[in-house]
Amino acid sequence: MHRASETNHIDAWMGWFGNVVLEAQSRTLQNIRFLIEKTRFLDRLRDKLNTRQEKVLLRMLAEGPDGFQGGLSAQNYRSITGTTSATATRDLADLVFLGALNRTGENRYARYSLCLG
């Protein structure tokens, strides 16, 4: 971009600047969409979650639209909440039933992702 500042030819700079603006707009729109989805998600689950479930969902939402990289495991759930395996299993099954989480895999390979939208 240094070359563009040495001449009156600003086409390259204008192209670069336009791309930066478009990228910023795209990221802003993604953030706004996620915020709206997050609000609807939490409104839909209002008064249906226990304290542990709410804590985990808020932690996942803090990571952005995809939640945890690779998905939430029962071990992650226990680590965040400090609960037993049996309670974590019940809480996670309830979150799937409520439509808050999607489950993939089985047994110890089960992973959970946010079900936004």
Side-chain angles (χ1 to χ4, degrees):
M1 289 296 101
H2 179 68
R3 285 182 297 146
S5 65
E6 296 175 349
T7 68
N8 288 333
H9 301 290
I10 61 169
D11 294 344
W13 183 85
M14 290 296 289
W16 173 83
F17 184 75
N19 286 333
V20 168
V21 170
L22 290 174
E23 279 183 37
Q25 287 176 333
S26 178
R27 275 182 276 144
T28 300
L29 287 173
Q30 287 174 331
N31 288 335
I32 290 170
R33 282 188 204 104
F34 176 65
L35 182 60
I36 291 168
E37 288 174 353
K38 178 179 165 179
T39 302
R40 288 180 180 157
F41 177 78
L42 292 172
D43 282 347
R44 181 171 50 90
L45 296 170
R46 185 181 317 246
D47 300 324
K48 296 178 183 176
L49 304 174
N50 64 43
T51 306
R52 294 178 306 275
Q53 291 168 326
E54 184 176 345
K55 182 178 183 178
V56 168
L57 290 179
L58 290 175
R59 175 68 178 82
M60 290 178 78
L61 288 166
E63 293 294 317
D66 298 324
F68 290 148
Q69 202 70 342
L72 175 75
S73 67
Q75 183 177 353
N76 293 136
Y77 190 94
R78 289 191 310 271
S79 175
I80 293 168
T81 62
T83 193
T84 65
S85 293
T87 301
T89 300
R90 282 192 303 272
D91 283 356
L92 287 165
D94 189 39
L95 288 169
V96 170
F97 177 77
L98 291 171
L101 296 178
N102 289 318
R103 177 184 171 158
T104 57
E106 292 296 323
N107 301 321
R108 71 180 211 199
Y109 301 107
R111 294 294 180 266
Y112 301 86
S113 58
L114 292 170
C115 187
L116 298 175

